[in-house]
């Protein structure tokens, strides 16, 4: 360079800059070498410690020793050059741990920072140094590999979790980042920062479990469903949803137990059905409860602690039979039940049997439940005892004054109502349906049933009623008038007040009933017979019967369904039949002429309508006493069915008073084809009414149903019009 030539800025600056950079690079190299030597010495000490790492297990992050370098962009995700104290500690193995999120099992990799000179160092000419020792080249390759692995791991994690881009905005450092910014980002991390390490471990465990659940969610869901099904099956089979048993178990193959409102009762098997006999349904009507309405069985002292053996029927209530003998006991308010099933599902209709030949005795008569028909017809039969005679229907002013509200009479009616209420409370325990109860009466029992069908709250006790061959005359006198007419009874028992009547012997009270109060045998009306002087057992007591039943059914429709009827020769009796060995036509004519009919000079007219045979005579008696009076009150009723049985039987060839009852209850076996057809017709009428509350729908309109081999409707019946015209019917109708 000549003297005149001056050094320019372009020629001087590069030389000075290069010298300055060379000095800086040498200083940096020294610092890196010192730091790496310290780190390598610590790692070698750690490697000497036994440490077992299982394949596939999570690798816990290592702590960076004091003086270790936290390189920006590689081991942290710092968003700025400031230290992030609240972040999890960034370590060289953190990014490697994220490899566990891959589908394959990751292999733990430990990264070491070798002690190398700066691979990016430039010589004075500005080129990267290529020479040097062979170890320096290997060290450079190891450093590049250690840089590459975290970069690959991070990019895979970002690809798998796009949301992580918000957490890695700082990105990874490029080569220029290491060159230009590493001087300002060097910092040390304390070894005893256990809190941050624990948090990192918990986070990693949760992330691992979450990832595994996502990966195997189908398998886990299937297992849960399988376990749920197993639990449901186990609960069902062990009785968790067990229904009420269909029937209690049998004891010794013949005894069965059920419950009532007063205790457990035990019945027994009888002819493929179950019978329970002698179950109390009301308080004993003795002592102070004599001549009082039936009281419910709601006192503990009258119930039982042990199981009640209801195997045998208890005695009936005190009564006088047709031959004058006295049977029964005063403590008699019990009932019998015959049921085909003792169960709670599919309850069966209930038939309550009310039988009595008269108001003073003959109960239950033919009204005994049939075990065979309970099973074949799928019904539950119940037969209650009820008071009769003076103990059941005596009405006196001294009795009314001793009670409050003042009333007397109809105690037998109150017994039946109490039995019906007991049925409402308990019959479901015997397989019966309390919403389907049919009150079934025969003879005097039919009279009681018809009277009960007229009370205002009859629907509370039963659903429907069937009355066979009952009376058609009901009380029309006020209670005080009936009480005054009965005062003569006090003279027969030598009593003057109610206390005396309650202390008197029960059998004495039964026997003291006057002869005129007893039911006469059915026959033609006598010439001197005065119907107004006959004793009426039923009274308008103001509690049960508040008005004459005939006024009720003529004014409004009954609250329960009702069927009334009779047999064509129900007035036939043994006394009448055996009055003569052979009833010839002349004997029949003479018998009619000696009656009220002969007094009215209508004997010839009668014989034109009725044959001069015993069959014709018994039909005439029946029409006057039973059938035509019932037909008369039926014409005043609305929506009530009326039937007459014409089918004859036995050698007398008559339809006696028990023909319909015995067919319904199966009391005899039909043998001829005609009898079998009659059985089918009679039972079809009755059990259709019991099950469905109505007679066959084909019998519409107000017709009399004539029952023989088949059921035929008829607009009228026999000669009832004649007897109504002669004022004999219903005036001379039977009372019971």
């Amino acid at each position: 360079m000549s003297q005149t030539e001056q050094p320019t800025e372009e020629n001087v600056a590069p030389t000075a800059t290069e010298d300055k950079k060379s000095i800086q690079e040498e200083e940096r190299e020294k610092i890196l070498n010192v730091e790496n030597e310290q780190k390598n010495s610590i790692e070698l000490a750690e490697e000497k410690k036994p440490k077992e790492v299982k394949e596939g297990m999570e690798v816990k992050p290592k702590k960076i020793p004091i003086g270790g370098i936290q390189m920006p962009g590689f081991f942290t995700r710092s968003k700025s050059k400031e230290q992030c104290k609240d972040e999890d500690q960034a370590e060289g193995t953190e990014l490697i741990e994220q490899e566990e999120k891959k589908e394959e099992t990751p292999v733990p990799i430990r990264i070491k920072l070798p002690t190398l000179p700066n691979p990016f160092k430039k010589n004075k000419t500005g080129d990267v140094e290529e020479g040097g020792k062979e170890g320096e080249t290997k060290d450079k390759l190891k450093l590049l590999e250690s840089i590459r692995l975290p970069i690959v791991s991070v990019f895979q994690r970002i690809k798998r979790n796009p949301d992580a881009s918000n957490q890695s905005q700082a990105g990874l450092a490029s080569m220029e980042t290491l060159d230009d910014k590493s001087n300002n980002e060097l910092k040390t991390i304390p070894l005893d920062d256990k809190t941050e390490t624990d948090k990192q471990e918990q986070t990693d465990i949760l992330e691992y479990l979450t990832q595994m659940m996502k990966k195997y969610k189908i398998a886990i869901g299937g297992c849960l469903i399988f376990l749920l099904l197993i639990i449901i099956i186990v609960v069902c089979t062990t009785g968790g949803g067990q229904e009420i048993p269909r029937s209690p178990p049998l004891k010794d193959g013949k005894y069965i137990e059920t419950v009532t409102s007063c205790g457990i009762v035990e019945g027994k098997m009888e002819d493929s059905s179950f019978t329970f006999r002698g179950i109390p349904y009301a308080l004993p009507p003795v002592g102070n409860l004599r001549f009082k309405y039936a009281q419910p069985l709601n006192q503990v002292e009258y119930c039982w602690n042990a199981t009640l053996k209801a195997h045998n029927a208890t005695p009936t209530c005190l009564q006088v039979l047709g031959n004058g003998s006295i049977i029964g006991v005063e403590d008699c308010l019990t009932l019998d039940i015959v049921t085909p099933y003792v169960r709670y599902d599919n309850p069966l209709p209930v038939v309550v049997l009310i039988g009595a030949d008269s108001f003073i005795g003959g109960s239950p008569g033919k009204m005994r439940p049939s075990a065979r028909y309970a099973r074949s017809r799928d019904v539950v039969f119940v037969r209650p005892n009820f008071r009769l005679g003076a103990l059941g229907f005596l009405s006196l002013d001294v009795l009314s004054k001793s009670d409050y509200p003042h009333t007397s009479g109809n105690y037998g009616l109150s017994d039946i109502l109490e039995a019906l209420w007991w049925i409402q409370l308990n019959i479901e325990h015997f397989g019966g349906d309390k919403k389907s109860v049919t009150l079934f009466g025969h003879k005097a029992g039919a009279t009681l049933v018809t009277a009960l069908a007229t009370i205002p709250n009859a629907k509370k006790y039963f659903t429907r009623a069937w009355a066979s061959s009952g009376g058609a005359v009901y009380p029309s006198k006020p209670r005080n008038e009936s009480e005054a007419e009965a005062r003569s009874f006090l003279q027969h028992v030598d009593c003057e007040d109610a206390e005396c009547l309650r202390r008197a012997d029960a059998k004495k009270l039964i026997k003291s009933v006057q002869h005129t109060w007893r039911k006469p045998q059915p026959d033609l009306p006598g010439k001197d017979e005065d119907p107004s002087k006959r004793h009426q057992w039923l009274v308008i007591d103001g509690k049960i019967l508040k008005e004459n039943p005939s006024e009720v059914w003529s004014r409004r429709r009954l609250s329960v369904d009702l069927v009334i009827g009779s047999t064509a020769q129900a007035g036939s009796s043994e006394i009448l039949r055996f009055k003569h060995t052979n009833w010839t036509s002349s004997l029949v004519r003479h018998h009619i002429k000696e009656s009220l009919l002969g007094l009215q000079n209508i004997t010839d007219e009668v014989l034109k309508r009725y044959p001069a045979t015993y069959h014709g005579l018994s039909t005439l008696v029946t029409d006057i006493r039973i059938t035509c009076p019932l037909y008369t009150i039926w014409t005043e009723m609305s929506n009530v069915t009326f039937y007459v049985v014409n089918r004859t039987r036995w050698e007398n060839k008559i339809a006696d008073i028990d023909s319909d009852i015995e067919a319904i209850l199966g009391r005899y076996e039909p043998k001829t084809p005609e009898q079998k057809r009659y059985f089918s017709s009679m039972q079809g009428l009755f059990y259709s009414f019991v099950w469905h509350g109505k007679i066959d729908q084909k019998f519409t309109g107000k017709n009399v149903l004539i029952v023989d081999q088949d059921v035929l409707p008829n607009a009228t019946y026999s000669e009832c019009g004649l007897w109504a015209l002669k004022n004999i019917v219903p005036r001379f109708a039977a009372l019971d």
Side-chain angles (χ1 to χ4, degrees):
M1 184 172 56
S2 62
Q3 241 174 3
T4 59
E5 187 178 357
Q6 299 294 330
T8 63
E9 185 178 355
E10 294 177 358
N11 296 329
V12 178
T15 302
T17 303
E18 289 177 359
D19 293 340
K20 186 177 180 180
K21 289 183 178 181
S22 177
I23 295 170
Q24 292 177 352
E25 293 293 335
E26 289 175 356
E27 294 294 329
R28 183 186 303 174
E29 181 179 351
K30 291 179 181 180
I31 295 172
L32 290 173
N33 289 336
V34 173
E35 298 295 334
N36 289 331
E37 286 176 358
Q38 293 177 356
K39 182 177 184 300
N40 288 336
S41 62
I42 296 174
E43 289 180 344
L44 289 174
E46 294 291 329
E47 288 178 354
K48 292 179 181 180
K49 297 179 181 179
K51 191 171 187 180
E52 182 178 356
V53 179
K54 295 182 181 180
E55 184 178 358
M57 296 295 290
E58 180 180 3
V59 180
K60 296 183 179 181
K62 296 180 180 180
K63 296 181 181 179
I64 298 177
I66 299 175
I69 300 174
Q70 183 175 358
M71 299 182 67
F74 287 89
F75 304 107
T76 63
R77 298 180 184 178
S78 176
K79 297 182 181 180
S80 64
K81 296 181 180 180
E82 296 177 0
Q83 294 182 355
C84 300
K85 297 181 180 180
D86 297 331
E87 296 283 334
D88 293 336
Q89 289 189 7
E91 301 166 320
T93 58
E94 177 185 357
L95 299 177
I96 297 175
E97 290 173 358
Q98 302 300 326
E99 292 294 325
E100 292 178 0
K101 298 182 179 179
K102 297 182 181 180
E103 295 181 359
E104 298 80 15
T105 304
V107 178
I109 300 175
R110 184 166 53 200
I111 299 175
K112 296 182 180 180
L113 293 178
T115 306
L116 294 174
N118 189 355
F120 307 106
K121 179 181 178 182
K122 296 181 181 180
N123 55 21
K124 295 181 180 180
T125 61
D127 300 327
V128 178
E129 294 181 355
E130 297 179 356
K133 298 178 182 180
E134 184 179 356
E136 293 179 356
T137 303
K138 293 181 179 180
D139 291 339
K140 291 178 181 179
L141 293 175
K142 290 181 180 179
L143 180 60
L144 291 175
E145 183 66 14
S146 64
I147 295 172
R148 185 184 67 82
L149 287 175
I151 293 174
V152 173
S153 299
V154 170
F155 277 117
Q156 288 180 351
R157 183 169 59 183
I158 293 174
K159 183 177 180 181
R160 184 175 299 177
N161 186 11
D163 297 336
S165 60
N166 296 331
Q167 301 176 359
S168 58
Q169 293 179 1
L172 294 175
S174 62
M175 297 300 181
E176 289 77 10
T177 304
L178 283 175
D179 186 44
D180 297 336
K181 299 182 179 180
S182 59
N183 291 332
N184 299 326
E185 297 295 327
L186 299 178
K187 60 182 179 180
T188 60
I189 300 175
L191 285 173
D192 57 350
D193 192 3
K194 296 182 179 181
T195 304
E196 296 297 331
T197 303
D198 294 340
K199 290 182 179 179
Q200 179 65 29
E201 291 178 356
Q202 294 175 3
T203 303
D204 292 339
I205 292 173
L206 292 176
E207 289 181 355
Y208 175 76
L209 294 176
T210 303
Q211 191 67 20
M212 293 299 292
M213 291 181 67
K214 290 181 179 179
K215 181 177 180 180
Y216 301 106
K217 60 182 179 181
I218 297 178
I220 294 173
C223 291
L224 291 175
I225 293 174
F226 178 75
L227 290 175
L228 182 61
L229 291 175
I230 292 296
I231 292 172
I232 293 174
I233 293 172
V234 171
V235 170
C236 292
T237 55
T238 55
Q242 188 173 4
E243 297 180 355
I244 298 176
R246 286 180 173 269
S247 178
L250 288 177
K251 295 169 57 179
D252 300 330
K254 61 183 296 187
Y255 299 107
I256 192 168
E257 289 184 354
T258 188
V259 298
T260 69
S261 56
C262 211
I264 300 174
V265 295
E266 181 184 85
K268 64 180 181 179
M269 181 175 287
E270 178 182 312
D271 198 7
S272 73
S273 293
F274 300 101
T275 61
F276 299 83
R277 303 186 186 278
I279 302 176
Y281 69 83
L283 296 181
V286 297
N288 292 331
L289 295 182
R290 179 188 287 180
F291 299 119
K292 287 184 179 292
Y293 293 106
Q295 301 298 311
L297 199 63
N298 56 6
Q299 298 183 21
V300 177
E301 57 267 27
Y302 292 106
C303 293
W304 50 93
N305 293 325
T307 301
L308 176 66
K309 306 294 184 180
H311 299 167
N312 301 310
T314 54
T316 60
C317 292
L318 274 171
Q319 55 188 289
V320 180
L321 300 181
N323 58 8
S325 61
I326 299 176
I327 62 171
V329 295
E330 187 176 10
D331 182 4
C332 61
L333 299 186
T334 61
L335 51 79
D336 300 340
I337 299 175
V338 178
T339 177
Y341 309 103
V342 178
R343 65 186 186 189
Y344 290 95
D345 60 333
N346 300 322
L348 301 177
V350 181
V351 179
V352 183
L353 306 177
I354 308 296
D357 290 343
S358 67
F359 282 102
I360 65 172
S363 178
K366 298 290 184 179
M367 302 298 281
R368 300 179 184 272
S370 168
R372 182 180 61 176
Y373 268 71
R375 171 72 68 171
S376 64
R377 292 298 178 178
D378 272 343
V379 295
V380 178
F381 287 114
V382 182
R383 187 197 63 80
N385 289 328
F386 54 93
R387 287 172 283 181
L388 295 163
L391 294 175
F393 297 96
L394 181 62
S395 178
L396 285 171
D397 54 355
V398 294
L399 294 175
S400 295
K401 293 176 181 179
S402 67
D403 198 4
Y404 187 84
H406 301 306
T407 186
S408 64
N410 294 341
Y411 310 117
L413 279 180
S414 73
D415 296 342
I416 298 173
L417 289 178
E418 191 59 41
L420 291 171
W421 185 242
W422 186 95
I423 290 171
Q424 290 293 312
L425 297 177
N426 296 280
I427 201 61
E428 63 179 349
H429 304 303
F430 299 85
D433 185 2
K434 65 180 181 180
K435 297 180 181 179
S436 180
V437 178
T438 300
L439 199 56
F440 184 20
H442 185 221
K443 297 183 181 179
T447 307
L448 299 175
V449 167
T450 306
L452 289 174
T454 65
I455 64 177
N457 58 345
K459 198 75 172 179
K460 172 183 175 182
Y461 298 96
F462 56 99
T463 312
R464 54 192 70 94
W466 184 293
S468 171
S469 302
V473 177
Y474 292 91
S476 56
K477 301 175 182 178
R479 178 176 56 84
N480 56 357
E481 186 176 341
S482 298
E483 291 174 345
E485 292 179 357
R487 286 191 64 84
S488 59
F489 180 80
L490 293 174
Q491 299 176 0
H492 290 80
V493 295
D494 297 327
C495 284
E496 295 182 356
D497 54 26
E499 292 299 323
C500 177
L501 291 173
R502 290 191 172 96
R503 291 192 305 266
D505 181 68
K507 289 185 178 181
K508 181 180 179 180
L509 295 175
I510 291 294
K511 290 190 298 184
S512 299
V513 173
Q514 304 175 46
H515 179 74
T516 56
W517 288 12
R518 303 186 182 191
K519 177 183 179 179
Q521 290 295 324
D523 202 342
L524 294 176
K527 294 180 179 180
D528 56 351
E529 182 176 340
D530 185 0
S532 62
K533 294 183 179 180
R534 294 180 302 180
H535 178 71
Q536 295 182 356
W537 284 105
L538 290 177
V539 296
I540 302 176
D541 60 331
K543 184 173 182 179
I544 298 176
L545 297 181
K546 299 181 179 181
E547 56 183 328
N548 191 324
S550 62
E551 295 179 0
V552 176
W553 63 57
S554 63
R555 185 175 66 252
R556 60 178 172 83
R557 180 175 176 173
L558 302 179
S559 61
V560 296
D561 299 321
L562 176 64
V563 174
I564 60 175
S566 176
T567 59
Q569 288 81 43
S572 174
S573 64
E574 291 185 356
I575 293 178
L576 179 63
R577 186 176 60 188
F578 292 112
K579 188 173 183 178
H580 301 284
T581 304
N582 183 22
W583 280 92
T584 62
S585 58
S586 59
L587 290 175
V588 171
R589 173 182 285 273
H590 180 266
H591 191 79
I592 294 173
K593 192 173 183 180
E594 293 297 319
S595 68
L596 178 65
L597 305 182
L599 186 62
Q600 294 183 353
N601 296 322
I602 58 174
T603 303
D604 293 336
E605 184 178 0
V606 169
L607 291 175
K608 290 179 182 179
R609 299 172 183 268
Y610 296 90
T613 61
Y614 179 75
H615 180 278
L617 177 62
S618 60
T619 302
L620 174 61
V621 174
T622 303
D623 283 353
I624 293 175
R625 296 293 190 179
I626 301 173
T627 306
C628 289
L630 291 175
Y631 174 81
T632 301
I633 66 174
W634 170 72
T635 59
E636 301 175 355
M637 297 177 176
S638 59
N639 200 36
V640 175
T641 303
F642 180 70
Y643 73 92
V644 177
V645 173
N646 274 344
R647 184 63 200 169
T648 62
R649 62 175 183 166
W650 314 133
E651 66 277 3
N652 295 320
K653 300 298 181 182
I654 60 174
D656 60 88
I657 197 169
D658 298 328
S659 294
D660 55 346
I661 299 301
E662 293 189 348
I664 291 172
L665 298 178
R667 306 301 299 181
Y668 71 95
E669 189 71 26
K671 297 180 179 179
T672 65
E674 293 81 7
Q675 288 178 344
K676 292 179 180 179
R677 288 180 61 181
Y678 163 68
F679 258 59
S680 178
S681 298
M682 194 71 241
Q683 291 180 3
L685 286 177
F686 180 79
Y687 291 105
S688 175
F689 180 70
V690 167
W691 270 93
H692 308 293
K694 54 187 176 183
I695 304 297
D696 197 328
Q697 292 183 354
K698 66 182 179 181
F699 303 121
T700 59
K702 199 161 181 74
N703 294 309
V704 180
L705 302 183
I706 308 299
V707 186
D708 201 313
Q709 294 185 36
D710 301 300
V711 181
L712 299 174
N714 198 3
T716 59
Y717 177 72
S718 188
E719 307 299 334
C720 292
L722 171 65
W723 305 121
L725 182 64
K726 297 295 184 178
N727 196 26
I728 293 177
V729 171
R731 183 166 168 245
F732 288 92
L735 290 174
D736 52 6

